[in-house]
Amino acid sequence: MNIPTDRKYTESNEWIKVEGKIGTVGISDFAQDQLSDIVFAEVIVAEGDEVKKGDTIATVESVKAAADIYAPTSGKVIALNEALGGTPEVINSAPYEGAWMIKIELSEPSEVDGLMDAGAYETFCASQH
């Protein structure tokens, strides 16, 4: 299982990579593995939207299940991954590179401190089996 150490993770399996005041958000390798072959992805927020930690920002569907994706922190949506809708399978092959979903300008940077680092997330994932 791939868990990059340069980001933080949620119990609902989202990751956020923070650079300055900007957070890039996607779903973890563990999440895409649990979902299996992803056939549909849709970001349901728009650029300029304000999201709160825990708000639904996207949905993904696989051959096994559908899942909502949640904002790991609060902020203003400043970019969407437009390519994701046409190539949802990239979530399976590159969950940390090409499969980011949104970028947000953090309004509550301290919320990041409450998320799991890679080691804690690895322990969390192991407990989910």
Side-chain angles (χ1 to χ4, degrees):
M1 184 170 41
N2 182 12
I3 304 175
T5 57
D6 64 347
R7 39 205 96 198
K8 297 281 194 146
Y9 301 87
T10 68
E11 289 189 359
S12 51
N13 301 303
E14 292 84 17
W15 57 261
I16 184 166
K17 182 177 182 180
V18 178
E19 297 169 292
K21 289 187 148 210
I22 307 302
T24 304
V25 178
I27 65 170
S28 71
D29 187 39
F30 177 78
Q32 71 78 23
D33 185 61
Q34 295 297 300
L35 286 164
S36 185
D37 296 328
I38 294 174
V39 295
F40 177 80
E42 179 181 27
V43 176
I44 60 170
V45 293
E47 274 187 51
D49 284 358
E50 293 284 338
V51 296
K52 295 279 181 220
K53 179 179 179 172
D55 285 355
T56 303
I57 57 166
T59 58
V60 295
E61 293 178 17
S62 71
V63 293
K64 285 187 359 183
D68 287 336
I69 311 305
Y70 305 103
T73 60
S74 302
K76 180 179 177 182
V77 178
I78 59 167
L80 308 174
N81 186 347
E82 305 284 354
L84 208 52
T87 57
E89 64 278 1
V90 75
I91 296 170
N92 291 121
S93 60
Y96 299 111
E97 289 81 36
W100 64 275
M101 295 181 176
I102 67 169
K103 294 185 184 225
I104 58 176
E105 185 177 343
L106 304 178
S107 61
E108 301 287 337
S110 63
E111 289 177 341
V112 175
D113 298 336
L115 301 175
M116 291 179 276
D117 65 15
Y121 184 65
E122 186 171 12
T123 301
F124 171 79
C125 291
S127 74
Q128 300 303 298
H129 290 289

